[in-house]
Amino acid sequence: MSTVPFKKVAGGPRPLVKQTINTCGLASLAMVFLHHARPVDQFLEAVYSAKHANGAHPGARRGKNQGVSHDAAIIWSTGYLLAKARLSRRVSNWFGRHDGSFVYEDFKLNIDMLLDSIAQREARREKALGSALKHYKHGTIRKIFVTRYLEQFKTQLELKILAAMFGFEFLPYPGDTMGNLYFTNGDRAAGEKVAYIREVLDKPDHAAILGHGQSHWMVPHTLLKGGLDGQEYALGINDPLGSNNVLPLKRLDHTYLFYFFKFDEGRCREGIRFLGDVLHI
């Protein structure tokens, strides 16, 4: 990209959460949570403390070893919540009351297919994992199960379910039947798609994540304009791999899909109370 300066058109920086192995989607949503709803961050720390660290705070020193980082802890908690969501009838009923039953049923099917794949590929060689899978099907979530689940690439279904738990409603892009915004030749320089991204990034209760195929998730947070002719658009991107990058729109094609959400603080508080009750924390 040209070294000619770009100027901000909309949006602003977001907290950066660094992923663990293959958890870019969970790390991306964690960045959204930290920006819009700090109580979610505190709740995820509480989940880690109660379900993994035996009461220790993330980062606490245990013996001679330094505890897990804050980022790794909250990412672990998001994976645990998704695993619990598949098992819990209360969570299922909760999504039904909030008109999310269709997505939730697809989510359950997606998890079941994933578990079958893990069982066929890995569990036969790893007795501990095989045992954890059997326990999971009977309602018990073991740490080794969460670890292996975290290592699997998260689909948009899983991320929609996780977002909904904390008051983020998926907003379908009106220009596409599937509700996704993506760029093709001829519509990256300007037009309604850029205007829509600008509108989302300018609204304090809106958020976006960006998926690249089935390989990586990122957080677009700032729309920029500049370049040699002053008319080139770019995005400020938080990459869970650990960097804040500038990505020109001209590099994007149909494999980059934008997903948009609207945050409701009341629904977020309700979700935290409900999930805390479900998890007994």
Side-chain angles (χ1 to χ4, degrees):
M1 189 183 69
S2 169
T3 58
V4 176
F6 279 68
K7 295 183 179 180
K8 185 179 79 171
V9 175
R14 299 288 186 271
L16 178 63
V17 174
K18 295 183 181 180
Q19 69 179 74
T20 52
I21 297 176
N22 215 20
T23 59
C24 53
L26 299 177
S28 293
L29 268 191
M31 297 183 215
V32 172
F33 296 158
L34 265 61
H35 177 73
H36 289 271
R38 295 298 299 187
V40 176
D41 181 41
Q42 299 165 5
F43 177 73
L44 293 176
E45 286 192 349
V47 172
Y48 183 84
S49 177
K51 301 302 180 180
H52 187 285
N54 299 320
H57 189 274
R61 187 174 296 276
R62 297 191 292 272
K64 296 182 179 180
N65 298 317
Q66 183 68 25
V68 70
S69 71
H70 164 267
D71 289 1
I74 64 172
I75 288 172
W76 188 93
S77 295
T78 60
Y80 181 90
L81 285 171
L82 285 172
K84 183 68 175 180
R86 169 60 186 91
L87 297 176
S88 174
R89 184 175 297 276
R90 290 183 64 189
V91 172
S92 174
N93 293 337
W94 186 76
F95 274 102
R97 293 194 301 271
H98 290 85
D99 299 321
S101 57
F102 180 77
V103 175
Y104 178 77
E105 290 302 318
D106 284 347
F107 158 76
K108 289 201 302 182
L109 179 61
N110 183 77
I111 295 292
D112 291 344
M113 293 173 61
L114 174 63
L115 296 184
D116 289 342
S117 176
I118 293 176
Q120 294 175 10
R121 290 185 288 108
E122 304 171 47
R124 294 177 182 176
R125 300 190 303 270
E126 299 182 44
K127 291 184 178 180
L129 178 59
S131 176
L133 285 172
K134 291 179 181 179
H135 278 81
Y136 181 73
K137 291 180 179 179
H138 290 88
T140 300
I141 304 173
R142 290 187 167 179
K143 293 178 184 178
I144 187 176
F145 174 85
V146 179
T147 297
R148 194 54 53 92
Y149 176 55
L150 287 173
E151 294 172 354
Q152 314 303 313
F153 182 82
K154 298 297 173 289
T155 67
Q156 51 96 2
L157 281 171
E158 291 162 291
L159 298 185
K160 285 179 181 178
I161 289 293
L162 180 61
M165 290 183 190
F166 295 111
F168 289 84
E169 176 188 4
F170 173 66
L171 291 180
Y173 172 60
D176 181 74
T177 56
M178 300 299 293
N180 305 321
L181 187 153
Y182 57 89
F183 289 95
T184 56
N185 291 334
D187 64 1
R188 287 176 293 214
E192 63 181 26
K193 293 182 179 180
V194 175
Y196 191 84
I197 291 174
R198 177 175 184 169
E199 181 181 2
V200 167
L201 295 181
D202 256 348
K203 292 182 177 179
D205 62 345
H206 282 51
I209 58 175
L210 175 62
H212 184 204
Q214 292 293 312
S215 61
H216 199 48
W217 292 96
M218 299 163 280
V219 177
H221 54 74
T222 308
L223 181 65
L224 306 164
K225 190 175 183 181
L228 292 175
D229 61 0
Q231 299 301 309
E232 181 182 349
Y233 284 96
L235 288 169
I237 298 284
N238 270 13
D239 190 324
L241 289 173
S243 62
N244 191 325
N245 302 321
V246 175
L247 182 62
L249 291 190
K250 65 183 180 182
R251 294 186 185 176
L252 304 184
D253 58 21
H254 68 281
T255 64
Y256 289 86
L257 298 179
F258 290 81
Y259 297 85
F260 304 106
F261 299 90
K262 182 178 181 180
F263 176 61
D264 185 311
E265 185 176 354
R267 290 276 294 273
C268 178
R269 290 195 299 267
E270 176 190 346
I272 290 175
R273 287 194 299 268
F274 170 73
L275 292 169
D277 186 50
V278 169
L279 300 178
H280 305 291
I281 58 175

